[in-house]
Amino acid sequence: MNGQDDSRAAAAGDDATRSTAAPSPLAPRPSPLDPCPSSLAFTAGFVERVRASFGRQGAMALIGAQLLDVQPGYCSIALVPRPELCQQHGYVHAGILATLVDSAGGYAGYTLFPNDSSVLTVEYKLNLLAPAEGERIVAAGYVVKAGRTLTITRGEVHAERAGARTLVAIMQQTLMAMHGKSDNSA
Amino acid sequence: MNGQDDSRAAAAGDDATRSTAAPSPLAPRPSPLDPCPSSLAFTAGFVERVRASFGRQGAMALIGAQLLDVQPGYCSIALVPRPELCQQHGYVHAGILATLVDSAGGYAGYTLFPNDSSVLTVEYKLNLLAPAEGERIVAAGYVVKAGRTLTITRGEVHAERAGARTLVAIMQQTLMAMHGKSDNSA
Amino acid sequence: MNGQDDSRAAAAGDDATRSTAAPSPLAPRPSPLDPCPSSLAFTAGFVERVRASFGRQGAMALIGAQLLDVQPGYCSIALVPRPELCQQHGYVHAGILATLVDSAGGYAGYTLFPNDSSVLTVEYKLNLLAPAEGERIVAAGYVVKAGRTLTITRGEVHAERAGARTLVAIMQQTLMAMHGKSDNSA
Amino acid sequence: MNGQDDSRAAAAGDDATRSTAAPSPLAPRPSPLDPCPSSLAFTAGFVERVRASFGRQGAMALIGAQLLDVQPGYCSIALVPRPELCQQHGYVHAGILATLVDSAGGYAGYTLFPNDSSVLTVEYKLNLLAPAEGERIVAAGYVVKAGRTLTITRGEVHAERAGARTLVAIMQQTLMAMHGKSDNSA
């Protein structure tokens, strides 16, 4: 099921006291968290490790997910919507979005883990912002804090439709590194 | 990806100061939240509405989920694991568990909504507790607080294996009722 | 800021198709998670350790929180509301409720940790269900899954007013045991 | 209680296969969510409304929080640590951090709400990343999706110490606009 609450866009124009923000040139600008900082320590061969692990996931093949981009502390996964991935209103099911973004966050973290480790999702929280429909769904995950045991990520899911991108879901996630247990062990 | 941290069971016996709790008969007992209280106001025909909505979800058919039980403020959904539902270690993918328990919670809330409404997931948070494997996975959701606009649920996922049930995931979820938009509208 | 969405109680009576659930005696009853199971392995002296740690927390004294009950895998904390604990509408601030229930969950987990360890909150998620007001606020936390490294809890906050208890918040939390670092180390 | 897992910084250097990422100039760069986009519709007088509401919160005065910056869809709040705000290890209590960042997110949303409305926190999720200590703690919240009924925010808490800023907590939050109920109504 997908969250949506789009009535505001229409309603905004009704209120004469509303204005479009003209950002003051003097206003202090907060700096957003960088989803791909240049200072992360990663492990050589991380792209190959992520690709091999992704290929071992039956669920990724079932839904038709494709690995899009792997960088240190960053991963994105794409999906082309089709009816059997949808909920009762014809939008991509929230569980499918969750599958994508949970995996994107997990592999974002995994790029920074040692070779003889695997990655587990401890927990995540997902907000659904708009119906997911269009030509392509792209989920991206990035590391916010890398730790030896626990790694924290954020993720976003966008739907691409007719040349426009809509933010449809955001995630916050906790990962755990399993040291001494490589990803391809039984 | 599935969370697990099972080393404690083995480690517990190593510590001579550990004991198995002998609950004092005098100890005040907290009362757990009842997943199926008798005082919820529901809407006639709720079982049929839930079954019809479930049938419209392509994603439920894709993964092979089956509606197990529908009661006022309660819903459970079952799944038989198979390789294409799994992650790289052979356990049911967290995204599949999320799909199940998100839907169970959503339909638990929907049993209490008016006929001309539909249900959207605003957000949920999922903790993964143990690897999901076995003959059957059962996700249950139940309403904790029902509101006109927002309804809050909790959910649990158990794996059934060789006659034993293991708690593999727990969820906390916010739903939104979309009034005036029935579930089967385009 | 406190969440509330109480319009439903009033609205429920407007809908002729609503009924109060008469629970069928044949209906299968889901079993709720027990907030105080008898099978948890705990560590001797846990009540004293929790009390000592609680006493070292300046924030607990500042808000006037009192340790109410400590059992294996369970802890409750009470608070008497006063104006300086409130938000702009006169209800107890969500941050104060969070402080209470985060601590209750943390100490619930800590009862099961070894003596030479301390407890850290990795993350939690809090839903605010109703305004928090009354003679007393009680937050309870209980262990859902105990692990060597990570322990998962749930928590609930009730407001007591004129002899009635209202559920005002629910929580789901991840804790981490810091082995070899006792709670009273600098 | 505060989460920390700082062993990785020290451990990273031990692994000969680790490198510091030299970001490829050709690599596609994901764009982070902008915490202060220029396209948000806001309501005239929002700074005064936020300041007045902040002043009515007893809890903000109790902990010594100060409103730092208010922009359309953005708010930051500062705090100077002192012992009575701390947990047992001497770091600022997670509940205090939660109070700050919940309020920062809530007021970020409130800048976009109509005059005759107030803001409620439906829920939030907080990850604790590092111990909070230093000369000043700054919590910032920003709107990710603004809706008529629900608004979604993210937040970050930094600790400032000896000229350096450390990210100590991140939040994801759901707000609800209460239309027709102004913030200063009883």
Side-chain angles (χ1 to χ4, degrees):
Chain A
M1 300 165 193
N2 278 12
Q4 79 182 104
D5 177 33
D6 285 345
S7 47
R8 189 182 180 288
D14 299 342
D15 188 340
T17 67
R18 299 287 181 94
S19 322
T20 298
S24 159
L26 298 180
R29 289 264 139 198
S31 55
L33 294 180
D34 186 348
C36 204
S38 60
S39 61
L40 289 170
F42 62 91
T43 307
F46 68 87
V47 175
E48 292 71 23
R49 283 190 304 140
V50 168
R51 292 207 173 275
S53 176
F54 190 92
R56 281 189 290 270
Q57 294 211 50
M60 293 294 110
L62 178 71
I63 65 175
Q66 293 199 303
L67 199 55
L68 200 62
D69 187 20
V70 183
Q71 296 186 41
Y74 177 83
C75 178
S76 59
I77 299 175
L79 180 84
V80 175
R82 50 185 210 272
E84 62 264 37
L85 301 177
C86 291
Q87 34 82 290
Q88 68 275 30
H89 300 299
Y91 305 126
V92 178
H93 196 285
I96 304 297
L97 303 180
T99 303
L100 290 179
V101 75
D102 170 39
S103 295
Y107 285 127
Y110 190 48
T111 62
L112 309 180
F113 290 3
N115 279 322
D116 65 338
S117 68
S118 53
V119 57
L120 295 171
T121 298
V122 173
E123 60 81 38
Y124 66 86
K125 180 243 202 294
L126 185 74
N127 270 267
L128 300 158
L129 307 181
E133 58 178 340
E135 293 89 41
R136 196 170 73 150
I137 306 294
V138 177
Y142 48 93
V143 171
V144 173
K145 168 99 190 288
R148 179 174 155 75
T149 305
L150 299 181
T151 288
I152 313 302
T153 77
R154 275 182 171 170
E156 286 116 36
V157 186
H158 286 86
E160 300 175 347
R161 190 183 187 188
R165 274 163 52 97
T166 302
L167 183 65
V168 297
I170 61 172
M171 179 196 71
Q172 196 165 302
Q173 180 189 46
T174 306
L175 302 171
M176 188 174 192
M178 301 295 281
H179 294 284
K181 182 187 178 184
S182 70
D183 185 83
N184 61 354
S185 61
Chain B
M1 298 161 195
N2 280 10
Q4 76 182 104
D5 177 33
D6 285 346
S7 47
R8 189 183 178 288
D14 299 343
D15 188 340
T17 68
R18 299 287 180 96
S19 321
T20 297
S24 158
L26 298 180
R29 287 265 140 198
S31 56
L33 294 180
D34 186 349
C36 204
S38 59
S39 61
L40 289 171
F42 62 91
T43 308
F46 68 86
V47 175
E48 292 72 20
R49 283 190 304 140
V50 168
R51 291 205 174 275
S53 175
F54 190 92
R56 281 189 289 272
Q57 294 210 49
M60 292 294 111
L62 178 70
I63 65 175
Q66 293 199 302
L67 199 54
L68 199 62
D69 187 20
V70 183
Q71 297 187 41
Y74 177 82
C75 177
S76 59
I77 298 175
L79 180 85
V80 175
R82 51 185 210 273
E84 63 264 38
L85 302 177
C86 291
Q87 34 82 290
Q88 69 276 28
H89 300 299
Y91 306 126
V92 178
H93 197 284
I96 304 297
L97 304 180
T99 303
L100 291 179
V101 74
D102 171 39
S103 295
Y107 285 127
Y110 190 47
T111 62
L112 309 179
F113 290 4
N115 279 321
D116 66 337
S117 69
S118 54
V119 57
L120 296 171
T121 299
V122 173
E123 61 82 38
Y124 66 84
K125 181 243 201 293
L126 185 74
N127 270 266
L128 300 157
L129 308 181
E133 58 178 339
E135 293 89 42
R136 195 170 73 149
I137 306 294
V138 177
Y142 48 92
V143 171
V144 172
K145 167 99 191 289
R148 178 173 155 75
T149 304
L150 299 181
T151 289
I152 313 303
T153 77
R154 275 182 171 169
E156 286 117 35
V157 186
H158 286 86
E160 300 174 348
R161 190 183 187 187
R165 274 163 52 97
T166 302
L167 182 65
V168 297
I170 61 172
M171 181 195 70
Q172 195 165 302
Q173 182 190 45
T174 306
L175 303 171
M176 189 174 192
M178 301 296 280
H179 295 284
K181 183 187 177 185
S182 70
D183 186 82
N184 61 353
S185 61
Chain C
M1 299 160 193
N2 280 10
Q4 77 181 105
D5 177 34
D6 286 344
S7 48
R8 189 181 178 290
D14 299 342
D15 188 341
T17 67
R18 298 289 181 93
S19 321
T20 298
S24 158
L26 298 179
R29 289 266 139 196
S31 55
L33 294 180
D34 185 349
C36 204
S38 60
S39 61
L40 289 171
F42 62 91
T43 308
F46 68 87
V47 175
E48 292 72 22
R49 283 191 303 140
V50 168
R51 291 206 175 275
S53 175
F54 191 92
R56 280 189 290 270
Q57 294 211 50
M60 293 292 111
L62 178 71
I63 64 175
Q66 293 199 302
L67 199 54
L68 201 62
D69 187 21
V70 183
Q71 297 185 40
Y74 177 82
C75 177
S76 60
I77 298 175
L79 180 85
V80 175
R82 51 186 210 274
E84 63 265 36
L85 301 178
C86 291
Q87 33 84 289
Q88 69 274 31
H89 301 298
Y91 306 125
V92 178
H93 196 285
I96 304 297
L97 303 180
T99 304
L100 291 179
V101 74
D102 170 39
S103 295
Y107 285 128
Y110 190 48
T111 62
L112 309 180
F113 290 3
N115 279 322
D116 66 337
S117 69
S118 54
V119 57
L120 296 171
T121 298
V122 173
E123 60 82 37
Y124 65 84
K125 180 244 201 294
L126 185 74
N127 270 265
L128 300 157
L129 307 181
E133 58 179 339
E135 294 90 41
R136 194 170 75 148
I137 307 293
V138 177
Y142 49 93
V143 171
V144 172
K145 167 99 191 286
R148 179 173 154 76
T149 305
L150 299 181
T151 289
I152 314 302
T153 77
R154 275 182 171 169
E156 286 115 36
V157 185
H158 285 86
E160 300 175 348
R161 190 182 188 189
R165 275 163 51 96
T166 302
L167 182 65
V168 298
I170 60 172
M171 179 195 71
Q172 195 165 302
Q173 182 189 45
T174 306
L175 303 171
M176 190 174 190
M178 301 295 281
H179 295 283
K181 183 186 177 184
S182 70
D183 186 83
N184 61 353
S185 61
Chain D
M1 299 162 194
N2 280 10
Q4 78 182 105
D5 177 33
D6 286 346
S7 47
R8 188 181 181 289
D14 298 343
D15 189 338
T17 69
R18 299 286 180 96
S19 321
T20 298
S24 159
L26 298 179
R29 287 265 138 197
S31 55
L33 293 180
D34 185 349
C36 204
S38 59
S39 61
L40 289 170
F42 62 91
T43 307
F46 69 87
V47 175
E48 293 71 21
R49 284 191 303 140
V50 168
R51 291 206 174 275
S53 175
F54 190 92
R56 281 190 290 271
Q57 294 211 50
M60 293 293 110
L62 178 70
I63 65 175
Q66 293 199 302
L67 198 55
L68 200 61
D69 187 20
V70 183
Q71 297 186 40
Y74 177 82
C75 177
S76 60
I77 299 175
L79 180 85
V80 175
R82 50 185 211 274
E84 63 265 36
L85 301 177
C86 292
Q87 32 84 289
Q88 69 275 30
H89 300 298
Y91 306 125
V92 178
H93 197 284
I96 304 297
L97 303 180
T99 303
L100 291 178
V101 75
D102 170 39
S103 294
Y107 285 128
Y110 190 48
T111 62
L112 308 180
F113 290 5
N115 280 322
D116 66 338
S117 69
S118 54
V119 57
L120 296 171
T121 298
V122 172
E123 60 83 37
Y124 66 84
K125 179 244 202 293
L126 185 74
N127 270 267
L128 300 157
L129 307 182
E133 59 178 339
E135 294 89 40
R136 194 169 75 148
I137 307 292
V138 177
Y142 48 92
V143 171
V144 172
K145 167 99 191 287
R148 179 173 154 75
T149 306
L150 299 181
T151 289
I152 312 303
T153 77
R154 276 182 169 167
E156 286 115 36
V157 186
H158 285 88
E160 300 174 349
R161 189 182 188 190
R165 275 163 52 96
T166 302
L167 182 65
V168 298
I170 61 172
M171 179 195 71
Q172 195 166 303
Q173 181 189 45
T174 306
L175 303 172
M176 189 174 190
M178 300 296 280
H179 294 284
K181 182 186 178 185
S182 70
D183 186 82
N184 61 354
S185 61

